């Protein structure tokens, strides 16, 4: 799966099955440069990085690639050998050290290539630009003095160059400067502000659900959660299977979380009141209660729920649950292999990244089981397509990356009677958006199963000008 | 949960000591055992070997190649020595991810 970070030398014999969705751009700017290039890969997945590395080798003879995740030390960037590159796999960015001919070759090739943005790295960056100037005022110096230009030590020079490159790319996108190869079909700027209307929720608008006639018919969607209130009028006349894995509790949803998540993934085309909030409105619903009425459950119940869903040939399994993990903590083998075997049997598992962050200051790693490489980790964005402040990030490697983002703030959906409806926030709410859209895609072609379904899901994303650490490949889209 | 009976003393309200039989629980770890890809075809046999090694299998997950159950702490490490076992892991608790905005 694409979640794995690039490790060690990047294998250039990578699977080229996933084509990048956009082309490359060559950005030029004045100013003294280090001689190094900063390459931003539009597809920050392992496959994308491998393709990019192969391209760099082909056109410029860049032969050595190392991963910052492996070295864990950004200072190595300033000591790069000639014809070598340091890949920041979490960011989808590489710093390449080439001679002038190699740099020119890369710049020339970038105009024709897909999926890469080339930037020269700058020198003599003013610290004022990096730190808003406040730190330039030494004791006794009054405000209003002209800013000094401060030469930085080598490791900060690298950060400055990176900062400049990202700033340039961001501002180009923000100002709608056309980047060759993007085709202009998907907005790259997070300027849109969505809102619920009388007819449809903002999440369905933002993900393009209204632009497709697909309904999820013939697709089995499993939601593993706190249960489902099948007496809710919005689930009448639906094909629903329920199973409780919680000892002593029926599959009836007392908590509300399971009915809310089921509503987003599979709610009706025309609800009994209010706007449409459900996506795969003709899918068959398999609700496995793996979380108790108090909202907690064991790994065993969840694995049993996955097994049940796979046995019932559910093409999509949605899990808005998890536990926090520590930075550096490895995923459980049980989830990694369960996810892989589910994929092999045609079931794609999506799971909530987690809500333990408090941005911008605190970004915690994607939790378990979303941190398994074979399970799709879903982050949450708000109505302006900005990362939700609680959404966990791709801090850990080996599966701990965020894969995709979806609406997860102020999401209206169904609740058990008599509450009926409410708007909730969380990566729990983002996850069923991905599940519902995956069901639509699975309906479109029987070839879209397992890994192929994940690839198609990823191919359709809308890129966001946010770090891959936060939103993975981008915003889930139905079309 | 495995239990064994032992005798312990207790004092009644009247102050008369009597002997009573109580049960003391021997802690067992709730675990999941994952069979390796190469050994999937003989998962049932591995399940029997796990039982022989002290695991009480509560739920076999055939499609996933996993067994849910429990084992004593002293026998925990023995399970991973069985050929074809990819991992033996202790089960934890998960929950709805808490949110600073809402309880979801």
């Amino acid at each position: 799966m694409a979640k794995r970070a690039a490790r060690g030398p990047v294998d250039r014999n990578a699977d080229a099955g996933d084509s990048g969705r956009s082309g490359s751009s060559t950005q030029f700017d004045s100013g003294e440069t280090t001689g190094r290039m900063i390459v931003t890969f539009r597809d920050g997945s392992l496959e994308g990085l491998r393709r990019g590395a192969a391209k760099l080798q082909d056109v410029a003879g860049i032969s050595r690639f190392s991963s910052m995740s492996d070295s864990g030390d950004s200072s190595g960037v300033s000591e790069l050998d000639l014809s070598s590159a340091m890949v920041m796999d979490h960011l989808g960015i590489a710093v390449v050290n080439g001679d002038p001919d190699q740099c020119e070759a890369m710049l020339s090739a970038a105009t024709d290539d897909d999926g890469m943005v080339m930037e020269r790295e700058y020198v003599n960056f003013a610290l004022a630009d990096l730190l808003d100037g406040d730190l330039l005022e030494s004791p006794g110096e009054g405000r209003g003095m002209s800013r000094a230009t401060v030469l930085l030590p080598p490791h900060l020079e690298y950060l400055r160059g990176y900062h400049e490159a990202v700033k340039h790319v961001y501002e180009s996108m923000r100002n709608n400067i056309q980047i060759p190869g993007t085709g202009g079909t998907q907005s790259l700027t997070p300027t849109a502000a969505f809102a619920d209307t009388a007819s449809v929720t903002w999440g369905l608008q933002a993900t393009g659900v209204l632009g497709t006639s697909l309904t999820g018919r013939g697709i089995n969607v499993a939601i593993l959660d706190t249960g489902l209130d099948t007496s809710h009028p919005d689930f009448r006349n639906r094909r629903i299977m329920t199973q409780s894995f919680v000892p002593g509790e029926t599959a009836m949803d007392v908590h509300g979380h399971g009915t809310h998540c089921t509503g987003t993934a599979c709610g009706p085309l025309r609800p009994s009141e209010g706007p449409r909030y459900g996506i795969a409105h003709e899918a068959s619903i398999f609700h496995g209660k793996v979380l108790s009425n108090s909202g907690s459950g064991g790994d065993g119940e969840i694995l049993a729920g996955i097994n049940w869903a796979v046995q019932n040939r559910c093409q999509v399994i949605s899990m808005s649950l998890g536990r926090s993990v520590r930075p550096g903590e490895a995923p459980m083998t049980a989830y990694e292999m369960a996810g892989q075997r589910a994929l092999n049997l045609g079931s794609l598992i999506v799971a909530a990244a987690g809500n333990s962050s408090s941005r911008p200051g605190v970004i915690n790693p994607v939790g378990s089981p979303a941190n398994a490489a074979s399970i799709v980790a879903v982050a949450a964005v708000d109505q302006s397509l900005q990362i939700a402040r609680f959404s966990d990030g791709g801090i850990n490697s080996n599966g701990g990356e965020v894969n995709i983002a979806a609406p997860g703030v102020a999401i209206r959906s169904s609740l058990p009677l008599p509450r009926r409806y409410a708007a909730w926030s969380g990566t729990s709410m983002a996850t069923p958006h991905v599940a519902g859209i995956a069901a639509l895609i699975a309906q479109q072609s029987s070839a879209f199963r397992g890994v192929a379904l994940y690839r198609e899901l990823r191919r359709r994303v809308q890129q966001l000008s946010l770090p891959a650490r936060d939103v993975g490949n981008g915003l889930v889209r139905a079309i | 949960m495995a239990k064994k009976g032992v005798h312990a003393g207790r004092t009644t309200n009247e102050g008369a000591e009597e002997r009573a039989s109580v049960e003391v629980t021997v802690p067992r770890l709730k675990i999941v055992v994952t069979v390796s890809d190469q050994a999937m075809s003989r998962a049932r046999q591995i399940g029997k070997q796990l039982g022989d090694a002290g695991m009480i299998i509560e739920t076999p997950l055939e499609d996933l190649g996993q067994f849910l159950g429990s084992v004593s702490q002293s026998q925990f490490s023995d399970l991973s020595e069985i050929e074809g076992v990819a991992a033996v892991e202790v089960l934890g608790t998960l929950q709805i991810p808490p949110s600073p905005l809402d309880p979801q």
Side-chain angles (χ1 to χ4, degrees):
Chain A
M1 291 281 291
K3 286 181 70 170
R4 291 195 184 282
R7 297 179 64 79
V10 177
D11 177 10
R12 63 165 302 190
N13 297 319
D15 175 14
D18 288 340
S19 60
R21 62 174 300 107
S22 57
S24 63
S25 172
T26 304
Q27 311 278 342
F28 295 95
D29 205 342
S30 59
E32 189 178 350
T33 60
T34 64
R36 291 191 293 259
M37 303 293 297
I38 296 178
V39 184
T40 303
F41 300 99
R42 295 198 185 285
D43 180 356
S45 67
L46 176 58
E47 286 84 356
L49 296 177
R50 283 174 169 170
R51 282 195 304 275
K55 185 72 177 179
L56 294 176
Q57 182 162 29
D58 285 344
V59 302
I62 304 302
S63 56
R64 294 183 58 197
F65 296 85
S66 53
S67 163
M68 191 171 286
S69 291
D70 290 340
S71 70
D73 180 9
S74 62
S75 66
V77 171
S78 62
E79 300 168 0
L80 274 176
D81 293 335
L82 201 61
S83 303
S84 64
M86 175 70 81
V87 181
M88 293 172 281
D89 25 34
H90 288 307
L91 301 177
I93 290 174
V95 180
V96 184
N97 190 18
D99 63 27
D101 289 342
Q102 288 175 311
C103 291
E104 285 303 319
M106 284 188 279
L107 287 168
S108 299
T111 58
D112 304 322
D113 185 26
D114 56 348
M116 286 191 285
V117 175
M118 296 283 182
E119 296 278 348
R120 293 184 188 274
E121 194 181 33
Y122 294 79
V123 295
N124 295 335
F125 184 75
L127 190 61
D129 290 343
L130 194 61
L131 302 173
D132 295 331
D134 289 345
L135 298 182
L136 292 177
E137 296 180 10
S138 59
E141 289 180 327
R143 288 185 176 274
M145 292 181 64
S146 61
R147 289 178 172 183
T149 297
V150 179
L151 292 176
L152 301 174
H155 68 285
L156 286 182
E157 279 188 11
Y158 157 71
L159 289 174
R160 182 213 42 76
Y162 170 58
H163 166 85
E164 186 67 18
V166 172
K167 181 180 173 186
H168 190 139
V169 172
Y170 168 74
E171 290 183 351
S172 296
M173 291 175 171
R174 188 183 63 181
N175 296 329
N176 283 327
I177 294 174
Q178 185 63 45
I179 296 176
T182 62
T185 57
Q186 302 273 9
S187 170
L188 296 174
T189 55
T191 55
F194 293 94
D196 289 357
T197 67
S199 60
V200 64
T201 58
W202 79 265
L204 272 59
Q205 298 171 52
T207 53
V209 169
L210 301 183
T212 178
S213 59
L214 295 168
T215 64
R217 188 179 185 85
I219 302 302
N220 296 340
V221 178
I223 292 97
L224 305 182
D225 213 290
T226 60
L228 175 64
D229 182 359
T230 55
S231 68
H232 195 293
D234 287 359
F235 293 106
R236 282 189 191 132
N237 304 317
R238 293 293 297 273
R239 183 169 181 264
I240 298 175
M241 290 268 293
T242 61
Q243 175 77 41
S244 177
F245 297 91
V246 179
E249 295 186 11
T250 70
M252 172 62 189
D253 185 17
V254 174
H255 186 284
H257 191 268
T259 302
H260 199 280
C261 292
T262 305
T264 300
C266 301
L269 181 63
R270 296 181 185 83
S272 57
E273 67 177 69
R276 178 186 173 189
Y277 58 87
I279 297 172
H281 55 87
E282 289 192 328
S284 298
I285 298 169
F286 288 73
H287 194 106
K289 180 167 181 164
V290 298
L291 300 176
S292 68
N293 293 332
S294 63
S296 65
D299 286 313
E301 284 75 48
I302 291 152
L303 289 165
I306 293 172
N307 194 68
W308 171 76
V310 170
Q311 284 180 332
N312 282 286
R313 301 178 185 277
C314 292
Q315 292 88 350
V316 183
I317 302 172
S318 185
M319 303 197 306
S320 292
L321 47 81
R323 67 169 175 84
S324 297
V325 303
R326 298 179 304 276
E329 181 177 336
M332 279 183 70
T333 301
Y335 282 118
E336 171 54 34
M337 297 189 78
Q340 187 59 55
R341 285 166 185 166
L343 285 172
N344 294 344
L345 294 168
S347 299
L348 177 68
I349 304 177
V350 299
N355 305 331
S356 65
S357 296
S358 183
R359 294 169 180 269
V362 178
I363 303 175
N364 288 322
V366 170
S368 174
N371 66 344
S374 55
I375 293 176
V376 179
V378 183
V381 294
D382 64 17
Q383 297 93 326
S384 296
L385 304 187
Q386 295 296 308
I387 189 69
R389 67 181 177 91
F390 52 78
S391 190
D392 288 339
I395 305 300
N396 292 336
S397 58
N398 294 328
E401 299 82 9
V402 169
N403 295 115
I404 201 165
V409 173
I411 303 302
R412 177 186 169 90
S413 187
S414 48
L415 282 182
L417 301 177
R419 291 179 284 175
R420 297 177 74 90
Y421 303 100
W424 285 1
S425 300
T427 53
S428 286
M429 283 65 247
T431 301
H433 278 90
V434 177
I437 288 171
L440 302 184
I441 297 171
Q443 179 194 2
Q444 191 171 357
S445 169
S446 59
F448 295 146
R449 298 290 184 272
V451 172
L453 176 56
Y454 174 60
R455 286 179 174 160
E456 182 62 19
L457 197 63
R458 200 178 58 180
R459 191 187 68 78
R460 299 186 188 205
V461 298
Q462 174 184 342
Q463 293 177 341
L464 302 171
S465 52
L466 295 170
R469 176 201 63 190
D470 294 337
V471 297
N473 289 103
L475 179 69
V476 66
R477 293 279 298 180
I479 51 175
Chain B
M1 197 64 81
K3 298 175 179 179
K4 63 181 180 182
V6 297
H7 290 283
R10 69 182 175 90
T11 302
T12 66
N13 288 338
E14 291 76 28
E17 187 176 270
E18 63 181 33
R19 307 294 292 181
S21 178
V22 298
E23 289 186 326
V24 176
T25 300
V26 177
R28 292 181 69 86
L29 300 171
K30 294 183 74 69
I31 60 170
V32 54
V33 176
T34 301
V35 175
S36 70
D37 289 338
Q38 296 77 13
M40 281 288 279
S41 60
R42 53 184 184 89
R44 286 189 179 181
Q45 179 192 339
I46 291 173
K48 185 175 182 310
Q49 290 178 276
L50 291 168
D52 292 343
M55 178 179 179
I56 297 174
I57 295 176
E58 295 167 2
T59 312
L61 306 177
E62 294 181 358
D63 287 86
L64 302 182
Q66 295 173 330
F67 296 95
L68 299 174
S70 62
V71 69
S72 67
Q73 291 191 4
S74 61
Q75 293 173 304
F76 177 79
S77 59
D78 297 341
L79 303 183
S80 57
E81 301 299 319
I82 296 173
E83 187 176 349
V85 169
V88 182
E89 294 168 298
V90 176
L91 296 171
T93 301
L94 296 87
Q95 59 191 0
I96 297 165
S99 165
L101 295 179
D102 294 313
Q104 280 50 252

